[in-house]
Amino acid sequence: MATSTADLLRARLKEVAADKDKQEASLEKAKEAFRAAPDESKRGKLNEIKAATAKICDEYADLARAVSAMSGGTNHAPAPTG
Amino acid sequence: MATFTEPDKLSENVGLKVHDFTADTVRWVLSNTAPVLASTFLLSDITQIATSGGYTQMTDGAGGLLGDTTLARSGQVSTVSGTQVVLTATGVVGPFRYLVLVDDTPTSPLNPVVGWLDHGSAVTMANTDTYTIPAGAYFTIN
C-alpha cells in the first residue's frame, strides 16, 4: 500500500516531537545546573543549547502546522502588529 | 509580532533579581480573562482555562506550554526574546484569548508573570488545530 505524503509528514512529526522533548529536557537540566552553581563563564554554553532548542522547536512547529492543515485543522496565531 | 504587554511589577522584579531570562524555566498559560497591568503579577492571579484537549493548566513546576527566553544586550539595551511554541489540540481547547508568560523558577514571589500577548478575540481550538505563539523580541530592559 502506498504511503501518502500525510503519513510521511505524520511520521516525521513524531520523530521530531521526540527529539524536541529530549532537547527541551536537556535544556531544562542545563538551566537547573546553572542555577544551582551560577558561573557566568558557562552562560555562553547555555545559550548554545538554547539556540539548538529553538531550531528544533521551529522544525517541530512547521511540521505540526503542515500536518494540521493536511488534516483539515486550522492554524491559529495572534495577528502581528508590526 | 503581536504586542507583548508587561505588568507594572515586571520592572521592579527585574531590579530585584527575581528573573534570570537565560536560566529560568518559563511557561505559557492560556486565559480568557483579561490580565490587569496593576494586579496580574503571579500565576495565582491568572484565571486559566480548564485542562482539556492537550492543554494542561499550569501549576508550580508543571503544565502550561513550556517556552524559553533569551537575553541579548546591545549597548545599554537588553532584549528579552522567546522561542516559538506550538500547541496541537487533541480535542477542544478554550475558548481563550490571552497568552500569559509565567516564570516558573522563582519561589518568592512564586511564579511571577512576565507579560502577555492578546490574540484579539477568543479562540476555540478543535481537534488537530494548532496554536502558534510566535518567536520574537518581547520587551527591552534599559
Side-chain angles (χ1 to χ4, degrees):
Chain A
M1 191 168 122
T3 305
S4 69
T5 304
D7 288 340
L8 289 171
L9 270 177
R10 281 191 193 98
R12 179 64 187 146
L13 177 63
K14 204 171 172 181
E15 288 173 1
V16 173
D19 290 346
K20 174 179 160 289
D21 288 348
K22 277 185 203 161
Q23 183 64 35
E24 285 179 335
S26 296
L27 174 59
E28 292 306 314
K29 201 172 170 184
K31 285 180 176 181
E32 202 176 319
F34 184 89
R35 292 195 301 263
D39 178 348
E40 286 306 313
S41 68
K42 290 180 180 168
R43 201 176 280 272
K45 179 65 184 169
L46 186 56
N47 279 327
E48 285 175 20
I49 300 171
K50 290 161 83 74
T53 307
K55 196 173 171 187
I56 199 162
C57 284
D58 287 345
E59 185 181 1
Y60 172 80
D62 288 343
L63 281 166
R65 285 189 292 263
V67 168
S68 173
M70 286 187 127
S71 308
T74 302
N75 291 311
H76 305 273
T81 51
Chain B
M1 66 173 283
T3 302
F4 187 87
T5 303
E6 305 162 37
D8 290 352
K9 190 90 172 169
L10 180 67
S11 60
E12 184 181 4
N13 282 345
V14 169
L16 293 173
K17 300 196 289 184
V18 169
H19 302 285
D20 181 331
F21 291 112
T22 303
D24 286 358
T25 296
V26 295
R27 298 177 189 276
W28 289 96
V29 167
L30 307 182
S31 174
N32 203 33
T33 303
V36 179
L37 286 174
S39 60
T40 304
F41 299 149
L42 304 171
L43 173 64
S44 57
D45 297 326
I46 303 166
T47 305
Q48 298 188 55
I49 64 167
T51 292
S52 73
Y55 173 78
T56 305
Q57 277 194 341
M58 181 185 168
T59 54
D60 183 29
L65 306 172
L66 186 66
D68 184 42
T69 53
T70 54
L71 182 72
R73 184 186 62 79
S74 176
Q76 293 180 318
V77 179
S78 291
T79 300
V80 176
S81 304
T83 54
Q84 180 173 198
V85 175
V86 171
L87 168 66
T88 300
T90 55
V92 174
V93 179
F96 64 90
R97 173 171 170 170
Y98 302 94
L99 315 150
V100 187
L101 185 63
V102 176
D103 192 336
D104 192 25
T105 298
T107 53
S108 180
L110 181 64
N111 304 144
V113 169
V114 179
W116 53 85
L117 299 170
D118 179 356
H119 183 85
S121 59
V123 181
T124 300
M125 297 171 70
N127 184 30
T128 76
D129 284 3
T130 68
Y131 194 93
T132 302
I133 300 172
Y138 297 150
F139 63 96
T140 57
I141 302 167
N142 56 356

